[in-house]
Amino acid sequence: MSIKILHIDSNNPILWQQLEEAGFENHADFKSSKEEIENKIQDYNGIVIRSRFKIDKTFLDKAVNLQFIARVGAGLESIDCEYAETKGIHLIAAPEGNRNAVAEHSLGVILSLFNNLNQADAEIKAGHWNRESNRGHELDGKTVGIIGYGNMGKAFAKKLRGFEVDVIFHDILENIGDENARQVSLQELQQKADVLSLHLPWTPETDKMVNTSFINAFAKSFWIVNTSRGKNIVTADLVEAMKSKKILGAGLDVLEYEKLSFETLFQDKNTPEAFQYLLEAKNVLLTPHIAGWTFESHERLAQVIVDKIKAVYSK
Ligand SMILES: NC(=O)C1=CN([C@@H]2O[C@H](COP(=O)(O)OP(=O)(O)OC[C@H]3O[C@@H](n4cnc5c(N)ncnc54)[C@H](OP(=O)(O)O)[C@@H]3O)[C@@H](O)[C@H]2O)C=CC1
Ligand SMILES: O=C(O)C(=O)CO
């Protein structure tokens, strides 16, 4: 009997093609609401998702024939993983597909912030030749602190190898240091880091982790890069720290406000004060959740998902 897979988001075409070639039965529904999909999910053995909606208990209770959930990405916070596992459903993610993209993006953001690239570019295009206010910093001799040393954190540390920097990291898992970074306590990281790069999942423990008391525990003023999840930072606290120069610059690929409609967010009365600050500050680099979003990762993510789905059925 063929294995029926429902795709609810569009992906690189190789995902569909290779599953078809391997004998899986593909079905697409990119439009129906979560409720509509819930009402037919009993007909499928697998679902391939990006981020369209949450796969919660209600959904899983209706998915009586589901054998796997494949997320074409790394983070699984939109899936009730614990509950899915109680039902014996395989959870598939593809961090191998976008970790290089996230690592290169993080490095690019740091180099851009250190050298005021976005600011200098905007100024020169507006007709201003400002050299002194765009004097930069060098990474050489700095300490880069990574929090979360999994796929993304490790890939980022590897990219830093060519720089004369001390790379340290903090993670809840113990003894996971490697040749690219030294594991330290959170306190030591806060004592030493000049740059903080977040590579954590979003969980109840990491939610709002970067708040005023967390920031004030840093011994030095520092730069921050967040490619993890927006809600790991309290934006209002970050902005206060930028105003007092405790934070020297911020590169934010993910935003606390990300799931709000941008049209709504940009209406005067709806724009949170902290967001308005981020929009105007020259030492803030904002990107629309694109750290892992490259042409190369688009294909690699699809390939990883295909390989992992096949592996489920080859056991
Ligand atoms: N902006 C973008 O385009 C992208 C963003 N991401 C984000 O990056 C995140 C990280 O991805 P990935 O590296 O694959 O995840 P991993 O699970 O491989 O690594 C995260 C690490 O952080 C650890 N951790 C969890 N909670 C804490 C905590 N409270 N304090 C310290 N360490 C903690 C984890 O430990 P444990 O395993 O025990 O939980 C794990 O070792 C994703 O969840 C996603 O949010 C990923 C890809 C693209
Ligand atoms: O892979 C992830 O978790 C991302 O954030 C990009 O989808």
Side-chain angles (χ1 to χ4, degrees):
M1 213 177 69
S2 66
I3 293 152
K4 290 176 76 176
I5 303 178
L6 182 62
H7 300 250
I8 64 163
D9 298 289
S10 74
N11 281 296
N12 188 289
I14 67 163
L15 202 155
W16 183 283
Q17 281 159 18
Q18 292 194 17
L19 288 174
E20 198 160 83
E21 281 160 22
F24 292 92
E25 192 181 316
N26 287 314
H27 297 263
D29 186 343
F30 301 161
K31 291 225 167 77
S32 297
S33 67
K34 178 183 176 225
E35 288 68 31
E36 286 164 336
I37 290 187
E38 254 168 31
N39 289 333
K40 62 176 186 179
I41 194 62
Q42 77 275 4
D43 296 337
Y44 297 94
N45 308 112
I47 183 166
V48 178
I49 64 159
R50 281 212 326 256
S51 316
R52 199 144 73 81
F53 53 70
K54 286 201 181 324
I55 303 231
D56 54 17
K57 285 195 174 71
T58 315
F59 187 95
L60 290 166
D61 281 338
K62 296 196 171 173
V64 289
N65 292 307
L66 207 62
Q67 293 161 350
F68 73 83
I69 302 168
R71 159 116 220 277
V72 189
L76 289 176
E77 76 278 1
S78 61
I79 302 167
D80 188 334
C81 294
E82 241 172 72
Y83 195 59
E85 272 164 359
T86 65
K87 292 178 174 290
I89 297 172
H90 294 271
L91 296 171
I92 296 171
E96 303 86 347
N98 57 12
R99 64 186 172 198
N100 185 67
V102 169
E104 290 190 16
H105 177 99
S106 306
L107 185 57
V109 166
I110 292 173
L111 293 175
S112 179
L113 288 174
F114 267 49
N115 293 287
N116 302 310
L117 296 186
N118 58 327
Q119 176 182 325
D121 175 68
E123 288 176 359
I124 206 163
K125 286 175 180 166
H128 307 297
W129 186 263
N130 297 335
R131 296 183 74 226
E132 192 47 43
S133 60
N134 284 311
R135 194 185 282 278
H137 290 271
E138 294 174 32
L139 255 183
D140 192 292
K142 303 287 189 300
T143 299
V144 178
I146 296 171
I147 305 193
Y149 204 60
N151 298 288
M152 308 299 145
K154 284 180 184 149
F156 173 54
K158 197 170 165 194
K159 296 289 173 207
L160 290 167
R161 276 178 82 161
F163 294 84
E164 302 296 321
V165 289
D166 189 20
V167 186
I168 55 177
F169 74 89
H170 168 67
D171 195 288
I172 41 173
L173 298 177
E174 288 173 9
N175 301 319
I176 55 167
D178 56 21
E179 70 277 20
N180 301 321
R182 184 167 55 86
Q183 187 157 19
V184 296
S185 65
L186 178 58
Q187 290 68 27
E188 186 176 344
L189 186 144
Q190 288 169 317
Q191 281 301 307
K192 296 194 169 146
D194 298 291
V195 178
L196 169 64
S197 192
L198 296 178
H199 297 283
L200 291 159
W202 181 56
T203 68
E205 290 72 38
T206 63
D207 183 58
K208 301 186 172 54
M209 179 193 254
V210 179
N211 55 27
T212 298
S213 65
F214 177 96
I215 293 168
N216 287 342
F218 277 72
K220 301 182 253 180
S221 290
F222 62 101
W223 286 264
I224 184 166
V225 176
N226 189 15
T227 59
S228 67
R229 287 293 181 260
K231 290 195 164 103
N232 291 338
I233 295 182
V234 180
T235 314
D237 293 2
L238 170 85
V239 164
E240 283 314 306
M242 295 199 77
K243 287 181 183 167
S244 71
K245 305 231 178 335
K246 180 79 189 189
I247 290 185
L248 300 168
L252 307 174
D253 183 51
V254 286
L255 289 170
E256 192 181 340
Y257 317 105
E258 204 164 312
K259 294 287 174 195
L260 302 178
S261 132
F262 255 60
E263 276 164 30
T264 312
L265 192 57
F266 277 98
Q267 282 170 14
D268 277 351
K269 60 183 184 335
N270 292 318
T271 311
E273 218 181 299
F275 183 54
Q276 192 62 44
Y277 180 92
L278 298 180
L279 293 177
E280 290 165 13
K282 290 179 170 176
N283 54 346
V284 172
L285 186 53
L286 300 176
T287 46
H289 201 142
I290 51 164
W293 189 256
T294 61
F295 288 99
E296 291 80 1
S297 72
H298 192 228
E299 183 169 335
R300 210 180 299 117
L301 283 163
Q303 188 63 59
V304 171
I305 292 292
V306 170
D307 294 345
K308 290 190 178 179
I309 292 174
K310 284 185 186 169
V312 166
Y313 293 96
S314 67
K315 281 174 193 158

